[in-house]
Amino acid sequence: MQRLIHKEIKNIFVFPSKNKAVKESAKFIANLISKNPQASISYATGNTQIPVYLELARMVLKSKLDFSKTKAFHLDEYYPCKPSAQHSFVGYLRKCVFNPLRISQSNVFELNGKAVDPKKEAKRYEGLLKKHPVTLTILGIGPGGHIGFNEPGSSFKSNTRLIKLSKETLDRDRNDRGQKSPDHALTQGIATILKSKVIILNAFDQEHGKYLKHALTGRISNSCPASALRLVGSKVVLFLSSDAAKEIRS
Ligand code: F6R
């Protein structure tokens, strides 16, 4: 393991392979839960996190880890969107997180992508997050340096809200990934995310390393939402593969 030196974020860990980075990220989450079995956790969805969640599920199966008392939140959901849609983040989380990690149903807090009034739904979710302050947020990074679905231009003071997805995100979702997903989403805001006690961000390949480069080496500005993490750098931990780190160093 190597460290990448950065002014605001001291804990940037670089692992020789994606596999090693995945294992260490999962180990970090597992340690946190052993110390705090009632932790409140906000989960990102996306391809990046799948192997991390699989690793956690393996630990649960071997009875090495118990998520049953943890609380589960998530970062975002397409809008409008029902859980049975192929692209639904709620659907993804039920399949990859809530069920395999055996989190009690009563401790799962889902964003309702079918809510008639998205403003009201965002307010409801923000209220729940306030009631159960988040111990750990698990992030990925996407086009334009988005975290959750906070697209470039999102205020660092933003709370949970409805947002229009950027052209870059829509191109990725619809053209590169062939999704038939909507052009809006409900997302936790940047201010909401920054309140989490600990924030980890996983980036395991070149594409995600490129997004991170802007966030870590450019100006701290809402033109790159992930750059906001530098404002709370002491509670941020990055798990990178060497492929991702190469992009940041280049
Ligand atoms: C999704 C989320 C997004 C993703 C990002 C990267 O819940 O929070 O910010 O982390 O779009 O997605 P993948 O990993 O699919 O490339």
Side-chain angles (χ1 to χ4, degrees):
M1 188 268 290
Q2 288 186 337
R3 272 173 189 264
L4 207 141
I5 307 300
H6 188 268
K7 190 171 158 230
E8 293 99 2
I9 304 178
K10 303 295 175 211
N11 289 322
I12 306 186
F13 302 126
V14 182
F15 298 93
S17 66
K18 170 177 171 175
N19 197 28
K20 189 77 184 129
V22 164
K23 289 232 156 70
E24 292 301 319
S25 176
K27 222 191 262 175
F28 181 93
I29 299 167
N31 277 338
L32 187 137
I33 288 161
S34 329
K35 286 187 197 134
N36 185 353
Q38 299 187 359
S40 182
I41 302 177
S42 250
Y43 295 89
T45 60
N47 296 339
T48 305
Q49 316 302 338
I50 289 175
V52 178
Y53 298 152
L54 277 172
E55 183 63 23
L56 292 173
R58 258 193 289 274
M59 294 182 197
V60 170
L61 255 186
K62 288 189 195 154
S63 303
K64 287 188 172 155
L65 190 56
D66 180 9
F67 277 80
S68 62
K69 294 192 191 71
T70 62
K71 297 194 177 64
F73 288 88
H74 61 115
L75 289 169
D76 43 10
E77 172 62 307
Y78 289 101
Y79 186 85
C81 183
K82 47 184 181 187
S84 58
Q86 226 175 9
H87 48 264
S88 165
F89 287 165
V90 169
Y92 166 118
L93 287 158
R94 288 179 186 172
K95 192 168 138 216
C96 301
V97 177
F98 306 150
N99 294 336
L101 301 189
R102 302 179 187 159
I103 302 171
S104 312
Q105 194 65 40
S106 56
N107 285 340
V108 170
F109 300 95
E110 294 176 348
L111 264 164
N112 180 6
K114 291 186 311 182
V116 181
D117 183 343
K119 265 196 188 156
K120 218 165 146 187
E121 172 60 8
K123 210 168 156 201
R124 180 191 72 89
Y125 210 66
E126 189 71 28
L128 286 170
L129 287 159
K130 262 197 198 111
K131 199 167 153 195
H132 306 285
V134 175
T135 321
L136 170 70
T137 295
I138 302 165
L139 295 178
I141 186 166
H146 76 207
I147 46 175
F149 265 146
N150 291 286
E151 300 288 24
S154 293
S155 163
F156 286 180
K157 293 188 178 141
S158 53
N159 287 326
T160 306
R161 68 204 185 288
L162 184 72
I163 190 161
K164 171 130 172 54
L165 298 176
S166 69
K167 186 182 173 308
E168 270 180 290
T169 297
L170 290 174
D171 280 349
R172 178 199 67 173
D173 286 355
R174 294 172 175 179
N175 302 337
D176 305 345
R177 298 187 175 176
Q179 291 179 191
K180 290 192 174 69
S181 43
D183 59 1
H184 280 76
L186 287 162
T187 184
Q188 284 192 30
I190 296 184
T192 322
I193 292 171
L194 297 190
K195 276 184 209 140
S196 176
K197 279 206 186 98
V198 180
I199 300 171
I200 70 173
L201 188 148
N202 294 318
F204 303 140
D205 56 30
Q206 279 184 302
E207 180 198 349
H208 297 95
K210 270 189 198 140
Y211 301 141
L212 255 186
K213 182 181 171 112
H214 291 291
L216 295 177
T217 63
R219 270 191 333 119
I220 299 179
S221 127
N222 68 355
S223 63
C224 182
S227 67
L229 297 173
R230 289 156 61 189
L231 299 174
V232 294
S234 64
K235 59 181 181 180
V236 175
V237 186
L238 304 192
F239 290 89
L240 310 181
S241 66
S242 53
D243 283 351
K246 228 180 272 164
E247 289 300 323
I248 298 166
R249 292 192 183 108
S250 71

